[in-house]
Amino acid sequence: MDPISQRLLARHPQRIDLSLERMRALCAALGNPQDRLPPVVHVAGTNGKGSTVALIRAIAEAAGLRVHAYTSPHLVRFNERIRLAGSLISDDYLNDVLDRIEAVSGEATVFESTTAAAFLAMSETPADLAIIEVGLGGLLDATNVIDRPLLSVITPVDLDHAEFLGDKIEGVAAEKAGILKAGARGVIARQSEAVMAVIERRAGEVHSPLTVMGVDFDAWAERGGLVYQDQERFLDLPAPALSGPHQFDNAGVAVAAALELDLPEAAIAAGLSAVRWPARMQRLTAGPYAEKAQAADAELWLDGGHNPHAGRAMARTLAERQARAPRPLALIVAMLANKDAGGFFEALKGVDAQVFTVGFDGAAADPAALAGVAQGRGFGAMAAGSVDEALDRALALGAGRVVICGSLYLAGEVLGASRETYPA
């Protein structure tokens, strides 16, 4: 664990308690930095939030804007969460900001304190745009003290974090739709009818105009690129530099947001080509795991998706890749104990793969129990003591394509061990 994370966990409650009272009090004690940010794009959703933030940021930076970004969780270093005008926050500045927050933070949770740190640092650093990712939910998330965003974006909504958001899709949608604000346009990804009904109701209540994928605009893959169409334009654009067919949907939402921000087509094209976002179907090419795979003439991939919706996206990506270049496939899977492992493996049922389950440092599911869940969904599955052991077993059985998946926490451990650096 990096020193900043150790500091935060030692000094702040580690609970998740969705409420805005403590956060509003903390921000007030700091002089309400959330009200002194550059124009804000606020992003909520179940899956695709981080990719969509990365896409919008890449486009805005290609247009010459100085862009702040706040995302979570981090993979290797806490500093990844806070990007100031294009660069990750420095250790010295982050520690200084945390000192000031801890002087007034009271019982603020880790996420509330880190969100306040992001707002304070962003308010003190000149920039043209701030892109803020919701941590969990939306309505009661600590980031939702932002009362006047320029734009609200809602990526695909599905079930996740049931212990906090409930197991009804309408309830989850209501939490996500809570970021919609009066006068701020909402750019909405393709959604189910049930989710869209909730979003439309909230938008009507707060008078937030909507731009909806599949209604007001659409985007799709064609001839190796991305086609974007709305009521005013038809754009032929490069494919996003992120793997998987689901990234074309994320890119479509990002393009719609960029057009609402009046960013030029040339910057949109450049940003789609330049975007980087680790642990989202990322090909690993450096470090001991990648070297071991390369020695066996195998590909090694990393994906942090951890719920049924992410499982379906990964299944589509693997089906497309296997159709183009078939190879024996293995999945190395770890998940948090509170995740829907059955739903995740159910989403992958059409994938012909051997499964190896592992743990990681934290509240991980027991690998043997996780293997049992995979077996119950029709997979050949066995538990392994580590990623290294699982990879050895997969390669010994002839796997030519291996995907390490199921958790961003596992992805962070793998990236750290692999000497893969987070894009600065």
Side-chain angles (χ1 to χ4, degrees), residues 182-267:
R185 180 167 294 277
V187 176
I188 313 300
R190 209 182 313 276
Q191 309 286 354
S192 68
E193 288 185 12
V195 168
M196 200 61 231
V198 173
I199 291 173
E200 288 175 338
R201 183 166 61 249
R202 167 70 181 186
E205 291 169 354
V206 301
H207 306 291
S208 170
L210 298 182
T211 298
V212 181
M213 191 171 197
V215 177
D216 303 298
F217 72 95
D218 216 332
W220 60 93
E222 187 172 297
R223 299 188 306 276
L226 171 74
V227 172
Y228 174 92
Q229 184 174 17
D230 61 24
Q231 297 172 358
E232 299 177 5
R233 57 184 71 80
F234 185 95
L235 304 178
D236 278 311
L237 297 164
L242 299 173
S243 296
H246 58 290
Q247 295 293 2
F248 284 83
D249 284 341
N250 292 335
V253 172
V255 171
L259 291 169
E260 291 291 342
L261 297 171
D262 292 324
L263 300 180
E265 183 180 343

Side-chain angles (χ1 to χ4, degrees), residues 31-32 43 67 81 86 93-94 123 168 176 179 245 255 267 281 284 330 341 359 375 421:
N32 288 312
V43 182
V67 184
R81 298 180 181 226
Y93 190 21
L94 182 51
S123 73
K168 302 295 184 185
K176 309 296 185 184
I179 71 165
V255 171
M281 282 310 291
L284 295 182
Q375 290 164 1
T421 58

